[in-house]
Amino acid sequence: MRRHHVRTVVTAANATTAVGLLVAVLGGARVRRGRDGILIGEGYRRKAPPATCFTVGSVIMCRHSAEWLLADERADLFGHESRHAGQYAWLGPFFWPAYWTACLWSYAATGSWGARNLFERRAGLTAGGYPTDLPVRPWLTRLRGRAARREPTPPAGSPSRD
């Protein structure tokens, strides 16, 4: 069985695709078949989230048409969103708290929801339209510097260096 077939079956079994279909319907989108087991909720109309595309289960919500998303010049974007579908297959409904925790970390570290978000990095920052070269915020640099200057505490029962 090919990888995208497994992803499609698993996201159906863990109910994230069902949630994606509900989000599409509530967002005023028309659901169309994409490729590789992906469904596309084209014409998504809600203001939130503000992204052009986002994924829930094996459903990619898109403010444009399915043809727009499937065009050759947007193959990277489609691939990025498809990788999120794979993340849903691995984590199921646990994807949501894990993803939002990663968003909060990224925002605290850089001011961008995606630049240091593990899920966005693994899906491909550039393909998803995220900045790739944002430095960490000064507070984090200072915190890392302090941690690096601290001498590690020897384990209990080890000989002292006195």
Side-chain angles (χ1 to χ4, degrees):
M1 196 184 278
R2 290 173 46 175
R3 186 177 358 185
H4 70 266
H5 293 304
V6 172
R7 179 191 63 210
T8 301
V9 169
V10 172
T11 58
N14 68 27
T16 57
T17 293
V19 173
L21 290 169
L22 180 63
V23 169
V25 168
L26 293 175
R30 178 176 171 228
V31 178
R32 305 255 320 265
R33 287 204 178 276
R35 62 176 174 261
D36 300 335
I38 295 290
L39 300 171
I40 300 171
E42 66 179 0
Y44 181 82
R45 293 194 277 266
R46 298 278 180 229
K47 290 180 181 180
T52 301
C53 296
F54 68 97
T55 303
V56 179
S58 286
V59 184
I60 299 172
M61 268 31 89
C62 183
R63 296 189 182 284
H64 301 286
S65 68
E67 290 79 16
W68 179 89
L69 180 59
L70 295 169
D72 289 342
E73 60 267 23
R74 279 174 282 290
D76 287 347
L77 177 59
F78 182 82
H80 173 92
E81 296 301 335
S82 294
R83 285 186 283 283
H84 284 313
Q87 294 166 351
Y88 275 99
W90 277 98
L91 293 173
F94 296 108
F95 176 82
W96 293 302
Y99 180 83
W100 288 108
T101 299
C103 281
L104 290 171
W105 164 250
S106 180
Y107 192 80
T110 66
S112 163
W113 297 107
R116 298 286 174 159
N117 179 324
L118 171 70
F119 298 99
E120 295 300 347
R121 292 175 79 79
R122 293 208 171 208
L125 288 175
T126 303
Y130 292 98
T132 59
D133 57 354
L134 287 179
V136 294
R137 292 184 183 207
W139 71 266
L140 187 55
T141 304
R142 286 191 303 273
L143 184 65
R144 284 182 176 171
R146 278 189 217 132
R149 286 190 300 271
R150 285 190 197 134
E151 187 175 355
T153 306
S158 64
S160 68
R161 294 187 222 175
D162 299 326

